[in-house]
Amino acid sequence: MVDYVLDKHDRPMKDLRISVIDQCNFRCTYCMPAEIFGNDYRFMPESELLSFDEIVRLVKIFAQFGTEKVRITGGEPLMRKNIDQLVGRIKQVEGIKDVAITTNAVFLVRQAAKLKEAGLDRVNISLDAIEDDVFKETNGRGIKTKPVIKGIEAARAAGLSIKINMVVKKGMNESQILPMARYFKETGDTLRFIEFMDVGNHNGWNMDTVVPKKEIIDQINEEMPLEPVDPNYYGEVANRYKYKDGSGEIGVISSVTDAFCSTCTRVRLSADGNLFTCLFASVGYDIRSMLRDGESDEAIISRLIQIWTKRDDQYSVDRKKRKPTKKKIEMSYIGG
Ligand code: SAM
Ligand code: SF4
Ligand code: SF4
């Protein structure tokens, strides 16, 4: 075990998020707008993706830094062939206690049971509207909510722990805040609202497009009274609230109006093996070359220590002071 490594703000490296593919079956307007990610967009060829052996080797190294949680994301991670095999191998790594996937759920109908069998603990399912007309627009592919609802049901039937994530963007889906809250209050699944963020370069973000946490909570509280709940653990990104009638809880991830950088323990690996210390980074650190050049575990460990100890990121805290000039990494590349 490597000693705990802290960054410049005393944050340990704890949660590893691995993007396994940059492709997706959706074209969510705020993430992969169809005009940009069209037929001639060049996605990564398979040879550029980290292999399962390479990913597992890195997970073993991260586990030595105290990483206990791994989240698999993308693009759409269920489009990566044999993803259940990767889940199974990660789950067996000593020290890894929790493996989760973030997905749009469409392929869960076929895959939920085998993912659970492989050792998957949790799924975060993204769904931005409960009404077809709105959802068909947000996903950019005219897909109705039914395939996602079926995916949620398959996950439930398989015994996976489920959370639903809804990005809220003004002018896109704020009409769905209450209908989504009502629907998932009924099913008992925790619904988490995510403030629309300025990730990437193509989603037309500006402050006017953000629906602040307070507005979301006030809207729901008026109809379905809420009370705040303490965080489950250090670094939890969602502010939690429970329904006063005891019928479950919701969360809000308020990266824009109430930044949580001070407890950010997340490290992200892109599908082609670049390491990012912040969602809003412009450049990553090339770890794949080290793997493919035959570097030892020790050499990779000292590189990670070097990267983490000089980490100074707190983009969301500094957002207002920053000039929006630098090119940022796309969400579909780095994963959520
Ligand atoms: N395709 C999978 C999915 O949608 O769940 C995994 C990858 S997706 C990039 C991960 C998460 O990032 C999703 O919940 C998505 O809604 C969220 N996301 C993407 N772009 C975002 C943005 N600009 N602001 C806030 N959340 C965003
Ligand atoms: Fe695909 Fe997820 Fe991005 Fe939507 S948010 S386009 S489902 S990667
Ligand atoms: Fe972490 Fe960067 Fe997000 Fe702050 S802005 S919480 S440092 S990923």
Side-chain angles (χ1 to χ4, degrees), residues 30-31 73-76 102-104 126 167 195-197 203 331 336:
Y30 55 80
C31 176
T73 177
E76 176 43 50
T102 304
T103 173
N104 62 39
S126 307
V167 173
E195 287 178 349
F196 176 42
M197 295 185 283
N203 62 15
M331 188 66 134

Side-chain angles (χ1 to χ4, degrees), residues 29-288:
T29 50
Y30 55 80
C31 176
M32 295 178 78
E35 326 70 271
I36 307 287
F37 295 85
N39 288 340
D40 47 8
Y41 187 85
R42 183 189 171 274
F43 289 103
M44 292 172 201
E46 210 169 327
S47 59
E48 281 183 23
L49 302 179
L50 289 187
S51 69
F52 286 179
D53 285 346
E54 289 169 333
I55 293 174
V56 172
R57 180 172 170 209
L58 286 177
V59 172
K60 285 181 181 158
I61 290 174
F62 277 97
Q64 294 184 49
F65 285 93
T67 295
E68 295 176 349
K69 286 180 167 181
V70 175
R71 172 169 301 284
I72 297 170
T73 177
E76 176 43 50
L78 302 187
M79 287 175 73
R80 179 80 189 254
K81 246 186 275 161
N82 301 323
I83 192 70
D84 56 308
Q85 292 175 14
L86 179 66
V87 167
R89 290 180 63 183
I90 292 177
K91 187 66 189 207
Q92 277 162 27
V93 171
E94 201 184 320
I96 300 298
K97 297 194 177 132
D98 184 85
V99 183
I101 282 187
T102 304
T103 173
N104 62 39
V106 168
F107 301 117
L108 273 180
V109 171
R110 271 185 279 148
Q111 301 194 28
K114 62 180 178 181
L115 285 165
K116 172 73 183 170
E117 209 172 302
L120 186 70
D121 297 288
R122 298 182 295 117
V123 272
N124 282 5
I125 293 173
S126 307
L127 177 63
D128 298 326
I130 201 69
E131 283 160 21
D132 281 336
D133 287 350
V134 182
F135 190 55
K136 278 157 78 176
E137 290 292 319
T138 68
N139 66 54
R141 281 271 159 95
I143 297 168
K144 294 184 176 182
T145 57
K146 197 168 171 192
V148 180
I149 300 293
K150 288 221 170 282
I152 296 172
E153 287 166 1
R156 198 177 295 125
L160 291 163
S161 160
I162 302 168
K163 283 198 180 102
I164 312 295
N165 286 340
M166 169 182 176
V167 173
V168 186
K169 180 182 169 194
K170 210 165 264 176
M172 176 179 89
N173 65 342
E174 75 266 41
S175 67
Q176 296 296 295
I177 295 171
L178 276 173
M180 284 283 285
R182 288 183 199 121
Y183 183 90
F184 288 106
K185 184 171 187 284
E186 208 47 48
T187 63
D189 297 308
T190 298
L191 170 62
R192 301 190 314 172
F193 299 92
I194 305 177
E195 287 178 349
F196 176 42
M197 295 185 283
D198 46 338
V199 197
N201 312 282
H202 304 298
N203 62 15
W205 185 93
N206 65 58
M207 200 54 209
D208 296 341
T209 55
V210 177
V211 182
K213 170 172 79 174
K214 186 173 177 324
E215 253 179 71
I216 297 173
I217 292 303
D218 286 352
Q219 237 190 79
I220 299 174
N221 185 46
E222 202 170 310
E223 179 179 315
M224 297 167 272
L226 291 165
E227 61 191 355
V229 185
D230 287 338
N232 276 320
Y233 52 87
Y234 171 84
E236 187 170 39
V237 295
N239 291 131
R240 299 167 58 208
Y241 300 83
K242 66 178 181 192
Y243 290 113
K244 285 188 177 163
D245 67 5
S247 60
E249 66 176 76
I250 60 162
V252 187
I253 301 174
S254 54
S255 160
V256 180
T257 65
D258 188 10
F260 38 78
C261 299
S262 64
T263 57
C264 179
T265 54
R266 288 174 291 283
V267 58
R268 296 177 158 90
L269 194 62
S270 68
D272 58 354
N274 278 300
L275 192 86
F276 292 87
T277 56
C278 179
L279 198 50
F280 300 92
S282 301
V283 283
Y285 302 93
D286 178 10
I287 304 297
R288 187 185 65 190

